[in-house]
Amino acid sequence: MSKPTIDFYFDFSSPYGYLAAQRIDEIAEKHGREAVWRPHLIGAAFKTTGSRPLRDIPMKWEYAKVDAARAARLLGVPITMPPRFPFLSVAASRAYYWTFDHDPAAAKVLAKALYRAAFGEGRDISTVGSVVAIAGEIGQDSDALADAFETPAIKERLRDEVDAALDRGVYGSPFVFVGDEPFWGFDHLDLVDRWLETGGW
Amino acid sequence: MSKPTIDFYFDFSSPYGYLAAQRIDEIAEKHGREAVWRPHLIGAAFKTTGSRPLRDIPMKWEYAKVDAARAARLLGVPITMPPRFPFLSVAASRAYYWTFDHDPAAAKVLAKALYRAAFGEGRDISTVGSVVAIAGEIGQDSDALADAFETPAIKERLRDEVDAALDRGVYGSPFVFVGDEPFWGFDHLDLVDRWLETGGW
């Protein structure tokens, strides 16, 4: 059996993306794979689907708070909401792809640090300054990253990724593809595991 | 430990409600309980949340077709879409509560027959005539049901249930409560099972 790619789409401002980020690598590794992390901007998809941020829909938001906290307790990870929510995830996503193009493993380390800061510690990660600071805290070259933010290339890179995600039908966070098979939502990770185990059904 | 009630909210026009209906009783029985089936009208919640039917959002609809078919294959049940979708589920829901008030067990049998007709066989269940016919096919008193449809009480009964569901925060289908703990979505049934097993966490 060929080994399909595992693409993990998420928005840095998504609590369910944060939760999925705690599990996706373990699931991939269990099956001898590596997940490719692909931050996107859920707001771009909202323009297409007409959806709004969870927080703007009181009934859904009330439920999501209960549900996400319950999932976090089961995973044994902290979850908190950053002071501003939803927040802009453009800077975090740009930093991710710029880092990825130099060192994919370092990009994943950065992504985990950003998510931990936002939803583990409730810190603001919406500004270039905060993202650069977090890269520095984990020993990455924050000066080079800060310089990269001054170039148009870092913007174009993310725009292309966001467009590609939309073309692929990614309208939420998290969204996982195993080869061409799509799985939406944190709650689908067990199904992703099963799909990898069985090769599909 | 006291035994919390298990309330299973669903809309007769919801494919994910149909899928959940295949599992909920088995999960409840595993823990020595019985689930109370409570049809509601998702359209009423949509007015509050601003959501629209899946079919009106092409990206979500494309995914939902793949996802629901995949879940049905895993469950080993047929799934097909009725000729008109989404369809009005008012008649089916009214018939359910009228039957429930006379014989709760018979109401569940009727609900299963209606879901099987709609999503198992692709039949129209949107009219009073079709609902009454299906009640007759499974040996229920279709004449009495047809007469009941002429009374205002059958309308009020459903309206009260729909209002109560909204008050409880039910904005989707399926939606399960174990006591006061809410679980939204077909994909949460494993979590419902685990919650019942552990008493919560």
Side-chain angles (χ1 to χ4, degrees), chain A residues 117-159:
Chain A
F119 291 100
E121 301 162 8
R123 290 169 62 184
D124 177 21
I125 65 163
S126 68
T127 64
V128 170
S130 61
V131 169
V132 167
I134 288 166
E137 288 170 23
I138 58 171
Q140 298 192 351
D141 188 343
S142 55
D143 290 342
L145 177 59
D147 289 346
F149 268 108
E150 302 298 318
T151 69
I154 199 169
K155 297 181 185 176
E156 286 157 21
R157 180 74 166 86
L158 176 61
R159 196 179 306 124

Side-chain angles (χ1 to χ4, degrees), chain B residues 90 93-94 97 154-162:
Chain B
V90 172
S93 302
R94 287 178 181 164
Y97 285 111
I154 198 169
K155 297 180 186 176
E156 286 157 21
R157 180 72 166 87
L158 177 60
R159 196 179 305 124
D160 290 347
E161 288 284 342
V162 169

Side-chain angles (χ1 to χ4, degrees), chain B residues 3-84:
Chain B
K3 291 200 169 186
T5 55
I6 302 173
D7 290 309
F8 169 48
Y9 291 90
F10 62 97
D11 186 310
F12 276 111
S13 74
S14 157
Y16 287 108
Y18 163 76
L19 291 170
Q22 315 299 319
R23 290 197 61 198
I24 189 68
D25 283 342
E26 191 184 332
I27 291 169
E29 284 159 20
K30 182 178 163 190
H31 302 286
R33 321 287 175 87
E34 189 178 3
V36 179
W37 290 32
R38 295 186 175 279
H40 70 118
L41 302 178
I42 206 175
F46 283 176
K47 284 180 194 158
T48 302
T49 60
S51 295
R52 289 172 296 155
L54 272 178
R55 186 150 198 164
D56 292 355
I57 310 166
M59 283 178 99
K60 289 196 171 186
W61 179 240
E62 287 308 308
Y63 174 76
K65 283 190 289 186
V66 169
D67 184 54
R70 179 171 62 201
R73 291 197 302 275
L74 195 58
L75 286 171
V77 298
I79 191 165
T80 185
M81 290 296 168
R84 282 189 297 181

Side-chain angles (χ1 to χ4, degrees), chain A residues 49 52 63 67 70 182 184, chain B residues 49 52 63 70 182 184 188:
Chain A
T49 60
R52 288 172 297 155
Y63 174 75
D67 184 54
R70 179 172 62 200
W184 174 39
Chain B
T49 60
R52 289 172 296 155
Y63 174 76
R70 179 171 62 201
W184 173 39
H188 268 61

Side-chain angles (χ1 to χ4, degrees), chain A residues 43-121:
Chain A
F46 283 175
K47 286 181 192 158
T48 301
T49 60
S51 295
R52 288 172 297 155
L54 271 178
R55 186 149 198 165
D56 292 355
I57 310 167
M59 283 179 99
K60 289 196 171 186
W61 178 241
E62 287 307 308
Y63 174 75
K65 283 190 289 187
V66 170
D67 184 54
R70 179 172 62 200
R73 291 197 303 275
L74 195 57
L75 286 172
V77 298
I79 192 166
T80 185
M81 290 298 169
R84 282 189 297 181
F85 182 82
F87 54 83
L88 287 176
S89 51
V90 171
S93 303
R94 287 178 181 164
Y96 175 86
Y97 284 112
W98 180 82
T99 307
F100 183 88
D101 291 339
H102 294 78
D103 181 347
K108 201 176 274 192
V109 171
L110 176 62
K112 289 178 181 177
L114 288 165
Y115 254 154
R116 188 171 52 243
F119 291 100
E121 301 162 8

